[in-house]
Amino acid sequence: MPGDALPTTATGRRTMNQPSVLIAGAGPTGLAAALLLARRGIHARIVDAAGAPAPHSRALVVNPRTLDLLAGTGVTERMVDEGRDVRGVRFHENGKELTHLEAGHLHPRYGLTVLSQERSEALLTAALADLGIQVERGVQAALVSQDAGGADVQLGGGEAARFDAVYAADGAHSAFRKALGIDFPGSAFPEEWPLFDVPMDTPLDLDHAHILFFPDGMAFALALDRLVWRIIASVPDPLSRLPEGTTHGEPVWSSRFRIAHRVAPRCALGRVALGGDAAHIHSPIGARGMNLGIEDAATFAMRLAGSQGATAVALDAYHRERHPVHRSVVRRIRAITTMARGHNAALRMARHALLPAVAHVDGMRTMMLRTVAGLDHPPPAE
């Protein structure tokens, strides 16, 4: 991959006719964008309003598409070394296994890898540091204006700066998306979803993710290691509904959140592009959030590095490539989550009948597995 010579400094100043780039947000999407730009000879300036990385992880699974896109940076090898393979998904109903999906042969090199978002971010940050790029933390960035020549941004401490391109990876409540006047249409489920990281002794096997169906909802269970499990549910007290023979300790972390499915109608406008949660949000069922954002980052890096000075044209190409992907992935994840919730009798009957059929029909089984693995559409091409 090109990028052995790194012709700019970590401040993002333009050198050797490379574009000056600001990345707002140092989650997985922003970090991956900075790393993949640096591999192509563009040192971006990356800032984050938070003073430190988040101590807890929402994302847990690194999929094969992400591992492919980060190959060559050193991060993929470290993720695989630190992570744990998950072989597939088991579905349970009324205390019995309804069906299962095995994911072992989806990709020639990589499987589904359990690794916390906290560790994924740490590995990306370390790879950036090896290239001389440091995240500037505690720095708020706000779009002031943009024109045909660039984007003017106000940074923390009263600093004003102008950039050829801004990559806004600043989350679901993106200030850059709002400043651009881009809506965030979609829908949300009404209930709160509890989340627990909890030590468990359970008959559920460690090598699969598990989805437990209840008459009034569902729960998702995945072992983070040999002791602690992540439980996410659409019902208020999932720890009281775990399989017979399960015992658990006190949660090491718990949270509550609401699920929405939204896609920005544009993911680039002028000199500003949106990536990750700033452009799309959806249910964690399907493990696509962090992974889809890293795919955004890879596409942004490819288009900008190949722009030959036509930055606005490159960002428009990014929008035209990514927006259809965002819409299709969010639509599929919403459909899967709606069926899994089973909040009416018709949906419960459908999931009971359809899931075993999906598991035994090659084309349907492959489609569902490829959705989870991030292989449901072609990869971004140079």
Side-chain angles (χ1 to χ4, degrees):
M1 184 177 294
D4 292 336
L6 301 172
T8 65
T9 68
T11 64
R13 292 189 179 91
R14 188 199 319 252
T15 303
M16 292 175 60
N17 297 318
Q18 293 291 350
S20 58
V21 183
L22 175 71
I23 297 172
T29 301
L31 292 166
L35 178 60
L36 294 170
L37 282 171
R39 294 282 299 174
R40 291 166 172 81
I42 301 172
H43 269 204
R45 183 173 178 182
I46 179 168
V47 303
D48 195 285
H56 299 292
S57 301
R58 290 287 172 93
L60 290 178
V61 177
V62 182
N63 69 28
R65 172 62 54 80
T66 292
L67 295 171
D68 257 343
L69 293 171
L70 295 175
T73 67
V75 173
T76 290
E77 294 80 3
R78 294 169 194 165
M79 285 178 162
V80 171
D81 285 346
E82 283 197 26
R84 186 177 61 79
D85 287 343
V86 59
R87 290 167 42 195
V89 185
R90 297 190 184 276
F91 299 89
H92 308 261
E93 186 178 63
N94 299 323
K96 297 179 180 178
E97 184 174 309
L98 178 63
T99 191
H100 60 93
L101 295 170
E102 298 298 321
H105 303 292
L106 280 174
H107 191 277
R109 291 179 300 282
Y110 307 120
L112 296 167
T113 300
V114 178
L115 185 69
S116 73
Q117 181 175 328
E118 179 185 7
R119 285 304 304 151
S120 295
E121 290 182 7
L123 294 174
L124 289 164
T125 300
L128 274 177
D130 289 343
L131 297 176
I133 300 175
Q134 300 293 331
V135 177
E136 299 176 48
R137 293 206 166 270
V139 177
Q140 185 79 44
L143 180 67
V144 176
S145 64
Q146 62 170 324
D147 54 35
D152 295 305
V153 178
Q154 186 74 35
L155 297 166
E159 179 187 358
R162 185 170 176 84
F163 297 90
D164 294 315
V166 176
Y167 194 52
D170 54 340
H173 302 288
S174 171
F176 280 86
R177 188 187 65 239
K178 294 173 184 176
L180 292 169
I182 297 175
D183 293 334
F184 207 28
S187 61
F189 296 141
E191 71 274 5
E192 279 194 326
W193 288 54
L195 177 156
F196 298 94
D197 286 350
V198 58
M200 285 192 350
D201 184 8
T202 177
L204 298 174
D205 73 278
L206 296 170
D207 295 329
H208 289 78
H210 299 269
I211 295 182
L212 314 174
F213 292 136
F214 310 121
D216 55 342
M218 53 80 65
F220 170 84
L222 177 67
L224 307 186
D225 52 38
R226 302 196 68 82
L227 178 63
V228 177
W229 288 68
R230 166 70 52 87
I231 308 292
I232 301 173
S234 66
V235 295
D237 188 16
L239 298 185
S240 69
R241 306 192 190 200
L242 296 170
E244 186 177 353
T246 298
T247 59
H248 66 83
E250 288 296 315
V252 296
W253 179 51
S254 63
S255 183
R256 291 182 175 272
F257 61 96
R258 293 186 184 274
I259 286 178
H261 297 89
R262 303 185 186 279
V263 176
R266 287 202 64 86
C267 54
L269 189 61
R271 296 302 183 109
V272 182
L274 308 175
D277 288 354
H280 47 81
I281 57 171
H282 54 73
S283 159
I285 304 301
R288 292 299 292 275
M290 178 185 75
N291 294 288
L292 193 60
I294 290 175
E295 189 176 311
D296 291 343
T299 308
F300 175 78
M302 290 177 190
R303 298 300 154 259
L304 191 63
S307 67
Q308 298 181 334
T311 301
V313 173
L315 298 197
D316 186 63
Y318 167 83
H319 161 73
R320 287 186 282 106
E321 185 172 346
R322 296 308 295 165
H323 185 247
V325 173
H326 298 162
R327 286 188 303 174
S328 64
V329 170
V330 171
R331 182 172 61 246
R332 282 192 293 275
I333 297 301
R334 180 173 56 217
I336 291 169
T337 307
T338 298
M339 181 174 288
R341 284 171 74 232
H343 271 217
N344 60 56
L347 284 171
R348 290 192 291 274
M349 290 176 63
R351 76 187 184 190
H352 178 83
L354 288 177
L355 271 171
V358 166
H360 291 92
V361 176
D362 286 346
M364 297 173 67
R365 179 178 66 247
T366 300
M367 180 182 68
M368 181 172 282
L369 286 170
R370 288 179 72 84
T371 295
V372 175
L375 304 173
D376 49 353
H377 57 273
E382 295 281 2

